[in-house]
């Protein structure tokens, strides 16, 4: 391989929200009371790998200019940026969009909040499919909308949609929007084109706006195929996609995200809001370079992540067979079921967080009703780190 993802990378002392987190930080987020000594941090969905060289080179050129005045991501000005996004979708996923449809936003959660607040009204219902990325809850509730949950069905850690329940929830008079996670976080499902089409058709039939979070779309197993929701939309274009290069190229700190919609009505509402976001120039230059020159790096990264996830699942089978887990179809997240031990979440937390000193995220964050006994680890790090973390955990469950 050209790129060495096994190379040790220390993020301590860099202001990293995971590896430099204080007791107060984790207390604020309700994750734990204190940070154990020598903690291994596998809770946040970003990666401990150096970014592609093309990103570094692009940012060096920007720094050499030494000019950081007001910057615009307007498609009429940031032409190279919007073209790079549009070309990425066409080249990677066969979806042709106009560069003028690309709206820069400073983070995917911000994109979701913008869409919820501007395309629905207070008191409206927003449909989600737990277990699911937990900021969906806070974005909906913080916008004074109501969470409408249609839980996925789990069979041996493989998740599918309960179509009867999903349609019943979409058909509710108060349900006005669906935020759909594709690929799914935390289960790792990469939805098929048929599944995506059914989600889109059910929502459109009942007048529910489809908002698809595709942030992990580039990070799938090498034997899988990601289908963007854009390919299943009909002429009604009842769709907004929220995504970005954040996860793909490990540049989340640059806040490099975008919204896409082929629906002119939605765009007329969203574009003025997005136009009011004046980015700093760093994310624009980083994304342009990554999408134009980072594909080789991404393919090698995906192969390495495949190995990480296979290693983790095989380790669990051999050393902790009571834990249920499968290699996810997408993301670098492993979603684990510890319920076989018959322990409370507090007891699981004590063993993993306090005694093993491995920082993780609790299942109840992702499913407020049925998340007991589940654990999420993010494995976008060196395999040696993963090995040590799993060995520590296994030691506490002997």
């Amino acid at each position: 391989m050209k790129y060495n993802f096994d190379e040790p990378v220390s993020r301590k002392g860099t202001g990293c929200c995971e590896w430099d987190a204080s007791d107060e930080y984790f207390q604020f987020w309700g994750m734990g009371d204190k940070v154990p000594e020598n903690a291994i941090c596998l809770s946040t969905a970003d990666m401990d790998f150096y970014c592609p060289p093309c990103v570094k080179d692009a940012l060096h050129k920007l720094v050499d200019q030494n000019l950081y005045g007001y910057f615009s991501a307007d498609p009429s000005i940031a032409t190279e940026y919007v073209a790079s996004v549009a070309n990425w979708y066409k080249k990677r996923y066969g979806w042709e969009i106009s560069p003028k449809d690309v709206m820069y936003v400073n983070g995917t959660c911000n994109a979701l909040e913008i869409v919820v607040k501007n395309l629905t009204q207070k008191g409206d219902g927003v449909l989600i499919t737990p277990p699911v990325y937990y900021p969906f809850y806070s974005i909906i509730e913080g916008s004074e909308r109501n969470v409408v949950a249609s839980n996925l069905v789990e069979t041996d850690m493989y998740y599918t949609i309960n179509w009867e329940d999903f349609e019943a929830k979409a058909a509710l008079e108060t349900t006005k929007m669906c935020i759909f996670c594709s690929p799914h976080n935390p289960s790792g499902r990469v939805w098929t084109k048929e599944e995506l089409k059914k989600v889109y058709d059910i929502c459109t039939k009942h007048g529910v706006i489809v908002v698809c979070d595709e942030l992990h779309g580039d990070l799938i197993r090498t034997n899988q195929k990601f289908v963007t929701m854009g390919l299943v939309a009909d002429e009604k274009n009842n769709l907004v996609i929220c995504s970005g290069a954040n996860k793909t190229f490990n540049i989340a700190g640059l806040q490099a995200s975008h919204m896409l919609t082929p629906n002119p009505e939605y765009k007329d509402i969203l574009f003025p809001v997005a136009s009011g976001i004046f980015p700093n120039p760093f994310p624009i230059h980083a994304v342009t370079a990554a999408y134009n020159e980072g594909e080789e790096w991404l393919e090698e990264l995906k192969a390495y992540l495949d190995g990480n996830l296979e290693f983790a699942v095989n380790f669990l089978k051999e050393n902790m067979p009571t834990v249920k887990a499968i290699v996810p179809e997408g993301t670098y997240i492993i979603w684990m079921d510890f319920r076989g031990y018959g322990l409370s979440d507090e007891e699981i937390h004590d063993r993993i967080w306090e005694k093993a000193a491995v920082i993780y995220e609790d299942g109840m964050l992702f499913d407020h009703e049925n998340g007991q006994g589940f654990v999420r680890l993010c494995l976008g790090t060196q395999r040696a780190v993963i090995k040590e973390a799993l060995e520590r955990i296994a030691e506490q469950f002997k």
Side-chain angles (χ1 to χ4, degrees):
M1 294 177 73
K2 181 177 179 180
Y3 303 100
N4 180 15
F5 296 103
D6 278 321
E7 181 181 357
V9 175
S10 176
R11 299 180 67 186
K12 292 183 179 179
T14 65
C16 172
C17 68
E18 183 176 41
W19 288 91
D20 285 333
S22 62
D23 296 349
E24 291 82 3
Y25 179 87
F26 283 124
Q27 289 165 11
F28 176 82
W29 290 106
M31 295 174 62
D33 291 330
K34 64 179 182 178
V35 182
E37 292 186 15
N38 300 316
I40 295 176
C41 301
L42 301 178
S43 58
T44 303
D46 67 0
M47 298 185 288
D48 300 326
F49 305 127
Y50 290 117
C51 297
C54 61
V55 169
K56 182 179 180 180
D57 293 342
L59 297 185
H60 270 299
K61 290 178 182 178
L62 179 61
V63 170
D64 288 341
Q65 292 175 3
N66 199 30
L67 291 169
Y68 312 108
Y70 286 118
F71 200 81
S72 176
D74 187 284
S76 67
I77 297 175
T79 54
E80 292 185 13
Y81 163 70
V82 294
S84 73
V85 178
N87 289 338
W88 186 259
Y89 277 88
K90 181 179 179 179
K91 177 173 59 175
R92 298 285 295 189
Y93 306 115
W95 186 37
E96 295 196 36
I97 59 171
S98 169
K100 294 182 179 181
D101 290 337
V102 178
M103 294 173 278
Y104 169 84
V105 284
N106 52 357
T108 309
C109 286
N110 290 337
L112 293 171
E113 184 176 4
I114 288 170
V115 173
V116 169
K117 287 184 174 180
N118 288 276
L119 296 184
T120 64
Q121 303 295 320
K122 291 181 180 179
D124 285 347
V126 180
L127 178 58
I128 60 174
T129 53
V132 76
Y133 183 50
Y134 54 87
F136 287 9
Y137 287 95
S138 57
I139 288 168
I140 295 166
E141 294 168 346
S143 301
E144 299 181 64
R145 277 65 170 171
N146 298 314
V147 171
V148 180
S150 177
N151 282 72
L152 299 177
V153 178
E154 179 262 318
T155 305
D156 295 328
M157 297 304 287
Y158 187 81
Y159 284 79
T160 53
I161 297 168
N162 182 335
W163 293 112
E164 182 178 352
D165 183 70
F166 184 86
E167 179 150 19
K169 300 293 174 57
L172 293 172
E173 185 177 350
T174 54
T175 303
K176 302 299 181 183
M177 178 176 285
C178 171
I179 301 180
F180 193 72
C181 197
S182 175
H184 186 261
N185 175 6
S187 78
R189 270 302 315 277
V190 173
W191 307 106
T192 66
K193 188 173 183 178
E194 291 72 23
E195 288 171 314
L196 293 170
K197 179 65 172 171
K198 196 165 183 177
V199 167
Y200 178 88
D201 287 346
I202 288 173
C203 289
T204 303
K205 172 184 173 182
H206 295 289
V208 175
I209 299 170
V210 180
V211 179
C212 198
D213 175 352
E214 296 187 348
L215 191 57
H216 287 92
D218 295 320
L219 297 173
I220 61 172
R221 303 289 74 74
T222 52
N223 64 349
Q224 293 288 328
K225 180 181 179 181
F226 172 72
V227 178
T228 173
M229 183 73 85
L231 288 176
V232 305
D234 60 14
E235 66 280 357
K236 294 181 181 179
N237 288 319
N238 179 40
L239 175 66
V240 180
I241 289 176
C242 299
S243 191
N246 288 359
K247 303 297 184 187
T248 306
F249 297 104
N250 201 30
I251 54 175
L254 294 178
Q255 298 184 315
S257 299
H258 56 256
M259 298 184 293
L260 304 171
T261 181
N263 185 307
E265 179 183 350
Y266 299 164
K267 187 178 177 183
D268 284 347
I269 297 171
L270 298 174
F271 186 80
V273 182
S275 295
I277 302 172
F278 289 89
N280 72 65
F282 288 91
I284 303 302
H285 284 73
V287 171
T288 303
Y291 278 156
N292 287 342
E293 305 172 49
E295 200 164 13
E296 180 185 34
W297 180 92
L298 174 60
E299 291 306 316
E300 290 196 13
L301 168 71
K302 288 171 59 180
Y304 187 83
L305 293 176
D306 285 1
N308 277 0
L309 292 156
E310 289 167 5
F311 169 82
V313 170
N314 288 335
F315 181 96
L316 292 171
K317 287 180 179 178
E318 293 174 11
N319 299 278
M320 300 180 68
T322 302
V323 176
K324 294 180 181 179
I326 62 173
V327 174
E329 295 171 335
T331 79
Y332 45 76
I333 292 162
I334 186 165
W335 181 241
M336 300 176 289
D337 179 1
F338 277 73
R339 291 177 297 177
Y341 287 104
L343 301 173
S344 67
D345 282 350
E346 291 74 18
E347 290 171 311
I348 293 171
H349 185 278
D350 179 67
R351 295 192 188 194
I352 299 177
W353 186 296
E354 304 292 343
K355 293 186 171 67
V358 176
I359 306 301
Y360 71 99
E361 287 186 321
D362 183 273
M364 287 296 288
L365 290 169
F366 301 87
D367 186 342
H368 292 179
E369 295 183 0
N370 305 296
Q372 301 94 336
F374 287 88
V375 166
R376 189 187 89 152
L377 293 179
C378 297
L379 303 187
T381 191
Q382 291 71 37
R383 201 158 302 153
V385 176
I386 296 169
K387 181 175 184 292
E388 181 178 351
L390 293 177
E391 286 175 346
R392 289 188 189 182
I393 294 171
E395 182 67 25
Q396 299 302 321
F397 285 86
K398 285 185 176 179

